[in-house]
């Protein structure tokens, strides 16, 4: 089983603004190579303490709604014990409890099995870190 497990790290420039970045295309591109028509699981993991992975509809306002909801639940103010970085940055360290840093998704026939409107997204509220890594791993 030498090719049962394949992994790759992708780098994303997220900039200095809060962002929901659709990485579905990167996942599909990885699977074309790694899965090569096989069934299995795709693991998506962001190795950062202030970002998460969400399966959400994008382009119709849901991504903006997610950021607005996170602002309501996790305001960027001075209430947080974790105080380094920009004002309110402590809330970025709580984000992964609400938007986990991982997702495991089914792959059937080498293709990602998402619902009609679902996309794989990196959720990044940390304005202090302009670049992120995401590890994609396929287990066939």
């Amino acid at each position: 089983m030498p090719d049962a497990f394949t992994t790759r790290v992708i780098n994303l420039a997220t900039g200095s603004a809060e962002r929901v970045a659709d990485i579905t295309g990167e996942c599909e591109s990885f699977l074309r190579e790694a899965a090569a028509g096989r069934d299995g699981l795709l693991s998506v993991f962001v190795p950062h303490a202030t970002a998460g992975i969400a399966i959400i509809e994008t382009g119709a306002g849901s991504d903006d709604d997610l950021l607005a909801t996170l602002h309501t639940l996790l305001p960027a103010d001075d209430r947080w014990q974790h105080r380094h970085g920009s004002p309110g940055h402590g809330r970025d360290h709580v984000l992964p409890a609400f938007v986990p840093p991982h997702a495991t998704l089914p792959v059937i026939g080498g293709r990602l099995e998402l619902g009609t409107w679902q996309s794989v997204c990196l959720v990044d509220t940390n304005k202090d870190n302009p670049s992120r890594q995401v590890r994609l791993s396929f287990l066939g």
Side-chain angles (χ1 to χ4, degrees):
M1 288 194 332
D3 58 343
F5 181 80
T6 307
T7 189
R8 175 182 301 155
V9 174
I10 60 172
N11 295 297
L12 298 171
T14 54
S16 59
E18 296 178 351
R19 185 164 174 212
V20 175
D22 187 338
I23 61 169
T24 308
E26 288 89 341
C27 294
E28 291 170 339
S29 175
F30 168 70
L31 288 171
R32 277 192 291 279
E33 265 182 59
R38 295 177 295 152
D39 295 350
L41 296 172
L42 174 67
S43 170
V44 182
F45 176 71
V46 56
H48 298 282
T50 58
I53 299 294
I55 310 302
I56 188 172
E57 178 182 4
T58 60
S62 297
D63 35 358
D64 291 332
D65 289 341
L66 174 58
L67 290 176
T69 299
L70 291 172
H71 273 275
T72 300
L73 293 171
L74 306 170
D77 57 23
D78 64 356
R79 73 182 70 201
W80 308 102
Q81 300 296 314
H82 191 107
R83 294 187 184 268
H84 77 82
S86 61
H89 172 67
R91 67 124 183 188
D92 299 329
H93 287 273
V94 178
L95 173 76
F98 292 88
V99 182
H102 58 85
T104 302
L105 304 165
V107 177
I108 306 298
R111 302 200 60 189
L112 193 54
E113 284 293 304
L114 293 172
T116 303
W117 303 112
Q118 291 180 317
S119 295
V120 182
C121 296
L122 170 73
V123 179
D124 186 4
T125 59
N126 183 355
K127 299 175 187 178
D128 297 338
N129 191 345
S131 61
R132 296 296 185 161
Q133 292 185 329
V134 178
R135 177 169 296 280
L136 304 176
S137 301
F138 174 72
L139 178 61

